[in-house]
Each structure stands twice: as C-alpha cells, then as structure tokens.
Amino acid sequence: MSAFDPTEHLPDDLLERIRERAPIHDRENTFPQQDLDELHEAGYLAILVPADRGGAGLGLEQAALLQQRLATASPATALAVNMHLVWTGVAKVFGDRGVPGLEFVQDGAVAGEVFAFGISEGGNDLVLFGSDTDAVPQPDGGYAFTGTKIFTSLAPVWTRLGLHGLDTTSADAPKLVFAFVDRTDAVVTSDDWDTLGMRGTQSRTTRLNGAIAAPEHVVRRIDPGPNPDPIVFGIFSVFEILLASVYTGIARRALDLSVSAAQTRRSKKTGTTYSQDPDIRWRIADMALAYDALPPQIAALARDVDQSADHGARWFTLLSGVKHRAVTMAKHVVDQAMLVSGGGSYFTGNELSRLYRDVLAGMFHPSDPESAHATAASAWLGPLEG
C-alpha cells in the first residue's frame, strides 16, 4: 500500500489561502464561506464517503491526519468542518458494520449538503445519554423537535441538522430519538456568537419550534443512558478523534512558529539567535516531546475504529482520554510558544495570539476534564458504590 498523501485532498495552495483568510474571519467575527466553498470543490466534505457513493473513500485515520493539517491553517475552519465530518464519519461507522440508515448523509455530502451537529444543550451534562429537547412522534413516523441546542457550528450554512431529543409519549417511552431536520421556519438561528476564540466556526444557538424530521430521516430510537448502540459509539468515536485532531493541529502550528521564531530572533546579549539559547532550546524540546505523543495515538485509535477493533468497555475511556490529552497538550504547547516567541505574540495581529485564544475552546467540548477523569476512574476502579 502506498503512503497516504494528504496534499492530494488538501493541496498546499488551498491551505495557504485558508491560512491567509483566517485572521480576517477572526477579526471580523464572520463565517469562512470561501473556505467551505473551496473545500467542497476539492471534495473535502465527502472524504469519508465510500468511493462507490461518489466520495474519496478515506478512513477515519486519514481524515484525522487531514484535519490536523487543516487546523494548522485555520483552527476555526477545521473545527467547523469537523461537525460535518462527524456525521459522515458516523455514516461510515454504520456502513462498515452493516448498519443501514445513514446512506442519505453520504449521498447528501457528495451533493454538497452541509450537516451540522445539534447535540449540545445548555446545562445537559448527560450529552449523548439524555436530552432536554422534546421529540414528539408524528402520525407518519416522523418526529417534531422542540428545544434549544447550543454551540451549533456551521450555523449560517448548514442544510441539515443532526440532533437528538427525548420521546416521552410513545408506548415504549422514554426513548432518545436521533434524527435530521431540514432548515425551515421552525428552526431559528440566533446571531449570538461573539467569543474569545474559534470565532469563524459561528457556533450559534439554535432554537427548534416543532422542527420536523421526516420518517426516513429518523435514524435511531434508543433507551436513554449509556448505550452500546452504534449511534452512540459512532458519534462518540468520530467526534472525539476528530476533535483531538484539530487541537493537535493547533499544537503543531504553534511548534512550527516557535521554531521559526527561535531561528530568526537574535539576542542582543549574546549576538546569537535564540535557537542557541539553552532555555529556549529546552522549551522547544518540551513542546516537541509533548506534541510527538499525540499523532500516533490518534492514528492508532482511528485505525481501530476503521477496522472495527473490539475494545469493549475500554472504548469510552480510550476515546475521551485521547481528546483530553490532545487539548491539554495543545494548550501547554501554545503557552510555551508564547514564551519562546516573546512579547510580540501578545499583539492581536500575531498568529500565536489567535492560537492562544482558539486553543481554549478545547476544554468546553465533550468529554470535558471531569467527564474524562470520571470515565477513566470507572474503567480502572469500577463504578462508584451506592
């Protein structure tokens, strides 16, 4: 098998154009529409769709590498596209395991549809295992969803929103319902995204007022709570791995910028570049040692998802762990990069200043530090008594 060439799906010239636009969207708090248009034209939105359905036929391992690469140019663009790729990734998980129901996502991605991720809800720390959104069954087998979703990336442009809600009225209730709704008057997107970082994602609040999911777009009805259903595993695995990839990409860019700064900044005291300063060398070595651990971990876990490896109950701690480690590593690396690069990095026009703000978003994505540690503790010590 030949080595995977990421430039085939994300060419250098496209990456540089995205990099040039990133500070503009951050400064103006706008969505990177041109980035999305060019990525669609390059077939990037369908990288996880099988070739026989018109996509690139890549695996999650390859997509994770591409997302790391994209994040070095624009973390916000990579994070926004992540949410679309989550659904195409879940569709791949379904297809690889012989589970039907998400073929319309694959076909839609090839046709140019943009899928958004509508799972997060304010104050709902159950995340995938529960929902405050009402899912009301309809006579034709569809569902009407009423509730509020937060952090809906791709808010200005999505064409279908994948979401969940709680059915409390059916004979077998309660059931968590996973489905997709179209963009209609029953879906209201607030213009409320004014944040410290990751501004280009435009992850606005979404209010659902009886938004209808057609019967053919109701994907799963499962019991609330921890559940081995493919929809839970698919979302959790793809979401965590691609998130880890974005933040690992941020770390790589910060490391590269630090190396460049150390090789060009010159000390008045010694007359040599800072690359000869023992303290600066130690910081860059520390950054590199931290960074180098993550790409192989991400690749190994993504490969296991692609190959349907059986980690049993260990899956959830492995997945939440790699996301947690990627975020904490990236924040550490960016912190060190600011020190290596000096006071100029404190100015808002400096790329490191933007990375410093963008990387902070990682702590708010599931699994948060508390959840990741609780999952690991349960895996190694068993559940809490009582």
Side-chain angles (χ1 to χ4, degrees):
M1 180 183 293
S2 59
F4 173 63
D5 180 8
T7 63
E8 179 184 347
H9 302 278
L10 194 54
D12 290 338
D13 59 339
L14 172 55
L15 203 67
E16 285 309 309
R17 289 193 297 275
I18 291 173
R19 190 188 311 282
E20 290 172 3
R21 292 189 288 258
I24 299 171
H25 293 296
D26 176 71
R27 182 173 62 252
E28 298 179 354
N29 194 26
T30 52
F31 181 78
Q33 181 66 57
Q34 195 170 355
D35 293 359
L36 187 69
D37 291 343
E38 290 200 60
L39 289 167
H40 168 56
E41 186 177 347
Y44 197 85
L45 301 186
I47 55 174
L48 286 168
V49 177
D52 61 6
R53 300 195 82 92
L58 301 186
L60 185 58
E61 181 182 1
Q62 296 162 316
L65 183 60
L66 285 169
Q67 281 297 90
Q68 291 172 53
R69 178 170 162 80
L70 181 56
T72 66
S74 175
T77 298
L79 185 60
V81 171
N82 241 30
M83 302 311 164
H84 168 90
L85 293 179
V86 166
W87 284 123
T88 60
V90 175
K92 183 181 185 306
V93 168
F94 272 37
D96 289 348
R97 290 155 179 78
V99 180
L102 284 175
E103 292 81 5
F104 71 91
V105 169
Q106 296 173 329
D107 296 340
V110 171
E113 288 202 63
V114 178
F115 293 88
F117 192 71
I119 299 296
S120 295
E121 300 168 340
N124 178 16
D125 58 357
L126 292 171
V127 195
L128 282 177
F129 301 149
S131 176
D132 293 327
T133 297
D134 291 328
V136 179
Q138 303 298 290
D140 64 355
Y143 270 87
F145 292 87
T146 298
T148 300
K149 302 292 185 176
I150 60 172
F151 298 135
T152 312
S153 300
L154 301 163
V157 298
W158 63 261
T159 58
R160 286 188 184 173
L161 178 66
L163 76 171
H164 71 344
L166 189 65
D167 175 358
T168 60
T169 60
S170 293
D172 59 352
K175 290 288 185 182
L176 268 180
V177 182
F178 290 82
F180 288 78
V181 300
D182 294 333
R183 194 168 206 130
T184 65
D185 291 342
V187 182
V188 178
T189 298
S190 301
D191 187 5
D192 60 352
W193 189 248
D194 188 7
T195 51
L196 182 67
M198 289 293 187
R199 288 159 66 81
T201 65
Q202 290 301 300
S203 304
R204 305 174 186 178
T205 299
T206 303
R207 292 182 172 82
L208 308 161
N209 303 302
I212 296 295
E216 63 271 21
H217 295 153
V218 176
V219 179
R220 224 67 181 166
R221 294 177 74 255
I222 64 174
D223 293 332
N227 196 304
D229 192 272
I231 192 71
V232 174
F233 175 76
I235 291 174
F236 197 82
S237 60
V238 180
F239 188 88
E240 298 290 78
I241 287 171
L242 292 184
L243 269 179
S245 300
V246 168
Y247 289 96
T248 298
I250 294 176
R252 177 54 188 263
R253 180 60 176 171
L255 178 55
D256 287 343
L257 290 172
S258 296
V259 170
S260 178
Q263 291 173 336
T264 54
R265 294 181 68 211
R266 189 169 292 274
S267 168
K268 288 283 188 181
K269 183 169 61 177
T270 66
T272 62
T273 62
Y274 278 95
S275 64
Q276 303 306 304
D277 183 299
D279 293 329
I280 296 297
R281 293 177 68 85
W282 186 93
R283 287 193 187 281
I284 289 179
D286 184 61
M287 296 162 66
L289 289 169
Y291 164 78
D292 281 343
L294 264 297
Q297 292 180 46
I298 293 170
L301 273 183
R303 192 180 313 123
D304 281 354
V305 174
D306 286 334
Q307 297 177 357
S308 301
D310 183 9
H311 289 296
R314 287 272 293 152
W315 262 121
F316 288 96
T317 190
L318 292 172
L319 293 164
S320 61
V322 77
K323 180 267 176 182
H324 173 73
R325 289 190 296 277
V327 169
T328 55
M329 175 277 294
K331 186 176 185 305
H332 170 72
V333 167
V334 175
D335 284 346
Q336 294 283 64
M338 297 284 284
L339 293 171
V340 168
S341 301
S345 62
Y346 196 61
F347 285 84
T348 57
N350 189 291
E351 184 177 354
L352 272 174
S353 171
R354 176 162 48 83
L355 297 184
Y356 186 79
R357 291 180 289 107
D358 282 350
V359 79
L360 296 177
M363 70 182 76
F364 298 108
H365 302 299
S367 297
D368 61 23
E370 292 79 12
S371 176
H373 282 79
T375 301
S378 293
W380 287 94
L381 299 172
L384 287 168
E385 296 177 1

